[in-house]
Amino acid sequence: MTTTSPATPHELSPGTRAPLDAALTRLRAGAAEWTALPAADRRDLLRRVRVAVADAADDWARIAAASKGLSARHPLAGEEWLAGPYAAIVALDAYADTLDALARGRSPLSGIRTGTAPGGRTVVHTSPLRFSDRILLSGYTTEVWLQPGITSHEARDAAGLGSRHPLRSTGVGLVLGAGNVTSIPFLDVLYELLAEGRVALLKVNPTQDALVPVFERAFAPLIEAGFTAVASGGGDVGAYLTRHPEVDHVHITGSETTFRAIVGSGEDRLRVPITAELGGVSPIIVVPGRWSKADLRFQAEHVATMRLHNSGHNCIAGQVVLLSRDWDQREDFERELRRAFARTPKRPVWYPNATSRLEHVREAYPDAEWFAGGTRAITAGGGEIESTEYFAPVLGVIDLPGTDSAFVDAAIDHANERLTGTLGANVLVDPVTLRELGEGFEASLARLRYGTVAVNAWTAFGFLTPTATWGAFPGGTADDAPSGIGIVHNALLLDGVERTVVRGPFRPFPRSLTGGRFSVLPKPPWFVTSRTGRAVSEGFARFRIDGRIGPLVATLLRAFGA
């Protein structure tokens, strides 16, 4: 996320402007060729990109970790494998499957199960779709809920978007890349090409300048064909490009402040459409129940992961825990949460301005409890933590009344009405309580106005699943978009999307045998407390790249040492 305000075009030197202008001129010519490219040829091109990504994967993960102050073998460096090469490879595979279906004259939804959700919504069960997903991500599923009234038949007919109707050219798109997670710019470019039918210029965020050569290698087949270009530079370059006459659309992953600066006002208002993913304040709703000591510890580590992954520099980081003050295990859970914050390996707070935000938290919440040498905190009570996305390792805990469905209703009302943004919400609920809540629980999920809702999982799992969708809840506009406008990922190229729902196991293996959703996974490798997270995450990524079973077996055995 860059927060530099746009500058006027004349502030760029001729030497800086010239290569940008040339890149856009070439993309304009490439737009016509991309429009005419059949689905089968697009599929084959993506397969060449896959080879390029696989070749760059080691450098991608190593450089990304170093840019965040981590050695390649740091316990948390596995994040850069999952949120980088892994995410890119699984997305390329999923898009290639969709293009293959279109090339054969089939809907991307052929053979994919659908169902229903409260309020007349059609549900598309978007993962797992492959046997490998059932093993690597055992117990985790995603489903996309379409907007009320869209039938499954209509969904099948509409799936494909810009790749189903390739003669509908939409020109040249500008992607202003995120600065925090390295796969975001890559995935946003793919969506421009395949869903929107636009060739794309990626302007890399300055925090990821070291990865420019990696992006150029990964995108090499698209760059050579004139369908993609990569540029670097600060806010002045971004400002120049957003107002460039060759740009037909802007997409940004960043902060609301940057979004507002880009949209502008009056005579300087942005003249082309814009889509955006802008983050927000994400709730973690902890439904009271009867939890074992192991449950308390596991879910506390789960919450710590939602906040401390990538040192809290995530748009989807859980920021506010909503707890029942009437839960007789509330103090036990908070105690385990503090322990999880304390034992998570220390890491740099690396994102620009994050340390100053931590200093601000010290002033705003003088009673906050600090951990890891004062680099992460837990606060009590509401206030600005409900309205300001800190983008830093600070977690708020807020007490609400009630138990059972009364608490669920109170928590949903609080999340919808008090917390800024609509990007993602997390719900933790034990199997017994979930069964007791019955069908009313699904109706409660339908009331949550968030683009991704995760039940016993982190919404980032939806980000990582290419056939899920990612973005704010529908309704954002250029004048009012606290979490953005539109969606990305969506490798099935679904139309009329409302949200993604992620579901996971409340307990890891072997305790998943005792009830609830079964999983063969022990502690997931993305947990910040996993001792083997780096090795297992890298192993998962390498399996996605080469499909070799032998190394995968060794990786799964390592997972049990977490």
Side-chain angles (χ1 to χ4, degrees), residues 277-348:
E277 193 266 87
L278 306 177
V281 175
S282 295
I284 306 167
I285 298 171
V286 180
V287 181
R290 176 51 52 189
W291 295 11
S292 69
K293 290 182 178 180
D295 293 337
L296 291 165
R297 180 182 174 116
F298 178 78
Q299 293 300 345
E301 293 181 358
H302 199 177
V303 172
T305 296
M306 296 180 196
R307 179 71 267 185
L308 300 181
H309 182 279
N310 200 23
S311 203
H313 310 316
N314 285 334
C315 58
I316 198 55
Q319 182 162 306
V320 173
V321 180
L322 301 180
L323 284 178
S324 169
R325 66 173 63 108
D326 300 316
W327 185 27
D328 58 5
Q329 293 183 290
R330 179 180 62 83
E331 292 183 1
D332 296 331
F333 178 76
E334 288 185 288
R335 186 180 305 111
E336 288 294 346
L337 185 56
R338 290 191 294 271
R339 289 172 176 168
F341 259 58
R343 67 174 170 265
T344 297
K346 188 175 179 181
R347 63 179 305 166

Side-chain angles (χ1 to χ4, degrees), residues 71-95:
S71 71
R73 302 193 69 80
H74 189 281
L76 298 176
E79 295 174 0
E80 302 311 316
W81 279 97
L82 289 181
Y86 177 99
I89 288 289
V90 296
L92 288 165
D93 287 345
Y95 280 123

